[in-house]
Amino acid sequence: MTTKKFDPKIYFTEKELVELTQNLIRIPSHKDTPGFEHDVANYIHDYLVQNGIQSELHPVVDGRPNVVAIIKGTGTGKSLMFNGHTDTVLPYNMTVDPFAANISDGKIYGRGSVDMKGSLASFIISMVAMKRSGYIPEGDVIFTAVIGEEGKSEGTEYIVKSDITADGAIVGKPSDYEYAIGHRGLEWFDVTFYGKASHSGRPENGVNAIEQAMTFISRVKEDLYPILREKYDEYMGGSVMNFGTITGGTEQSTVADKCILRIDRRYIPGEDKDTVMAEYQDIINKLKDEDPKFNAKIEITPESLLALYHPPLITSFNESIVTAVREGIKEVMNYEPNITRGIGWSDAALLKTYAKIPTVVFGPGDLSLAHTEDEHIKIVDLVNAVDIYSRITQNFTSYPKEDELQ
């Protein structure tokens, strides 16, 4: 056993990395799967144990477990956490077989290939390569494969509330050889409009909740959109929103007595859950003043939240984990990597905000392919990610534990 640095490419093959990625894709882990992430978590756990890595399954909710694995260090250097989610979105109307994990033109296709079973595979193989090399890091290397990131983030919320911690963390969201030290916060809101039902032949006897929603949407575009266009953060981009879904009414011949509008709101530092919610409440209040029949309320979308809200990620550029990530990418790719801006929300914000772990987002693949009809990831990106993760690990865990860049 040694603390001398190693070349990870000597200790793994592209074939085993590809096969692991394919096997993870072939195990469905979306919300309509019996057991949800249960089977893929068990597969990951067994794979780690078979390769001599200490691993545990931590039940989180409804039998859905996190995987928590560790390679113990000497204790003199900084500890590093890898974090990736095991759930995926639904396969929707995919144009490829979502669970065949077929290979074409150097790419692996399937649901979760880029978001983010490819990252999970690269994390795992980087740890397996380290184990095989006999290298002992100076700080612990912890791998957390977590449930529920596409929903309530139950898995990382469990990590945050546990005694599992680290001096720095990497969340493996695809970043296409860039890295993120900040991203916008995210909250989902339901705006419910209450009308009065009546026969459509006598619409004047009712109050149409769908029309109330239309009035609200128009006022948001008129009053709030200009305000949002003025908000901007260097590492996150602008403050934005989206009207995601609208449902209302019971049938065409009845005036709609209820309508629900769902909003996705992405916000930047200087804003929080309460301030962005208040923007919509102010518009509701104004519309009530203008029309006594207008009746609406706003609340957090129930299925989007467990206990913790979803703040922005804000990690200082001067943190040593940022330096290690930047250097790791540069060593493999031979160029200075860019900071990526405007990426989606991730569990990195929970680790940084609530567990106080400086966190960077970096992972293989192109984020624009996530959730798409032909989701895929390049094999070369997986191979490079193992190399980069291994170099980040060796660099970061060699920093003295008490040291921090200023």
Side-chain angles (χ1 to χ4, degrees), residues 62-187:
D62 298 329
R64 299 160 54 197
N66 285 345
V67 183
V68 179
I70 186 169
I71 294 178
K72 295 291 290 184
T74 63
T76 58
K78 290 184 178 293
S79 57
L80 174 65
M81 179 185 293
F82 292 140
N83 175 278
H85 62 86
T86 51
D87 61 319
T88 72
V89 297
L90 290 161
Y92 304 119
N93 298 315
M94 294 190 71
T95 57
V96 297
D97 187 324
F99 306 116
N102 290 323
I103 296 175
S104 176
D105 195 26
K107 304 167 187 174
I108 307 174
Y109 287 79
R111 180 55 82 225
S113 54
V114 76
D115 188 16
M116 55 182 297
K117 291 180 176 178
S119 293
L120 290 173
S122 295
F123 279 147
I124 292 165
I125 294 298
S126 72
M127 294 184 73
V128 169
M130 181 188 303
K131 188 72 175 179
R132 290 172 181 168
S133 75
Y135 175 81
I136 301 177
E138 293 176 59
D140 296 345
V141 181
I142 304 151
F143 171 62
T144 56
V146 297
I147 68 168
E149 192 268 357
E150 300 287 0
K152 297 182 179 181
S153 290
E154 299 98 326
T156 296
E157 187 162 324
Y158 171 92
I159 298 296
V160 166
K161 294 177 178 178
S162 73
D163 59 358
I164 302 166
T165 190
D167 297 306
I170 300 172
V171 169
K173 277 284 187 183
S175 61
D176 202 16
Y177 300 108
E178 298 183 341
Y179 63 98
I181 59 176
H183 62 59
R184 290 172 289 211
L186 165 65
E187 302 301 341

Side-chain angles (χ1 to χ4, degrees), residues 319-335:
E319 293 283 358
S320 54
I321 184 61
V322 178
T323 301
V325 169
R326 188 174 69 251
E327 290 177 349
I329 300 172
K330 185 176 180 179
E331 287 173 15
V332 174
M333 303 308 297
N334 296 312
Y335 60 77

Side-chain angles (χ1 to χ4, degrees), residues 29-60:
S29 53
H30 56 78
K31 66 181 181 180
D32 287 349
T33 304
F36 210 156
E37 308 97 337
H38 178 273
D39 289 351
V40 75
N42 275 271
Y43 179 89
I44 290 169
H45 167 71
D46 290 344
Y47 190 94
L48 289 163
V49 171
Q50 289 164 11
N51 281 277
I53 296 172
Q54 180 183 332
S55 176
E56 296 178 346
L57 289 167
H58 291 203
V60 178

